[in-house]
């Protein structure tokens, strides 16, 4: 999307953008320009240098928080403190969401990600089932529960 935004900002006609990005249609490009890109530009129009410096300062503070939370996650993992690790992960996630809102990268409304087919979900299932090998009854119950998960 950033490549398309750059082309639009440089005045590249929608027909050329459509040719460079197969599957992206001219109407979608026009909608994106009118509904997303131009409102962002209007929002930025009128900002002062101080406003921009404040935004950079906030972003750098958020990056600092993310780095500190990552360091805490490392410490928690080394200490095998699962509660602290989970808390650190939540902080990292929240910080990344905030950074996304600040930078505009968090505007993926309407995007659906099917986690049931992703490699991370498969790895989680594998780890859970491996951990339950010494407990065959529990393992069987978890397998049945996972079979009942609807991925749609």
């Amino acid at each position: 999307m950033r490549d398309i935004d750059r082309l639009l900002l440089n005045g590249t006609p929608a027909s050329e953008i459509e040719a460079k990005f197969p599957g992206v249609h001219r109407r979608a490009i026009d909608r994106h320009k009118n509904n997303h890109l131009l409102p962002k530009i209007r929002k930025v129009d009128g900002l002062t240098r101080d406003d921009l410096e404040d935004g950079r300062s906030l972003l750098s503070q958020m990056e600092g928080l993310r780095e500190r939370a990552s360091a805490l996650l490392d410490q928690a993992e080394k200490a095998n403190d699962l509660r602290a690790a989970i808390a650190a992960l939540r902080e990292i996630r929240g910080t990344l969401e905030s950074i996304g809102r600040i930078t505009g990268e968090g505007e993926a409304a309407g995007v659906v990600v099917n986690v049931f087919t992703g490699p991370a979900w498969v790895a989680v299932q594998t780890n859970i089932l491996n951990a339950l090998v010494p407990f065959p009854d529990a393992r069987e119950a978890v397998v049945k529960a996972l079979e009942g998960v609807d991925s749609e």
Side-chain angles (χ1 to χ4, degrees), residues 126 128-144:
T126 302
I128 289 170
L129 294 177
N130 286 339
L132 291 172
V133 167
F135 313 99
D137 293 336
R139 189 173 196 273
E140 185 178 329
V142 169
V143 168
K144 286 181 183 175

Side-chain angles (χ1 to χ4, degrees), residues 25-145:
H25 302 286
R26 186 175 301 161
R27 285 192 300 189
I29 294 167
D30 289 337
R31 268 194 320 272
H32 172 71
K33 179 181 178 182
N34 294 326
N35 297 337
H36 300 287
L37 188 59
L38 291 178
K40 281 184 183 179
I41 292 170
R42 286 184 197 108
K43 195 185 296 184
V44 171
D45 189 33
L47 290 179
T48 66
R49 182 176 294 275
D50 289 340
D51 294 330
L52 295 175
E53 290 302 321
D54 290 346
R56 285 190 194 128
S57 173
L58 178 61
L59 183 58
S60 66
Q61 288 178 47
M62 294 303 295
E63 286 290 345
L65 287 174
R66 186 194 53 78
E67 288 171 11
R68 290 177 67 192
S70 293
L72 291 172
L73 174 61
D74 291 341
Q75 290 175 3
E77 287 176 335
K78 286 178 186 168
N80 204 25
D81 185 348
L82 295 179
R83 287 179 190 241
I86 290 170
L89 286 170
R90 283 188 185 121
E91 289 302 316
I92 292 168
R93 183 196 65 220
T95 304
L96 290 174
E97 288 171 353
S98 295
I99 290 170
R101 284 192 301 275
I102 292 168
T103 62
E105 294 178 57
E107 295 182 25
V111 174
V112 176
V113 178
N114 186 350
V115 297
F116 297 106
T117 59
W121 175 242
V122 173
V124 167
Q125 288 182 43
T126 302
N127 289 340
I128 289 170
L129 294 177
N130 286 339
L132 291 172
V133 167
F135 313 99
D137 293 336
R139 189 173 196 273
E140 185 178 329
V142 169
V143 168
K144 286 181 183 175

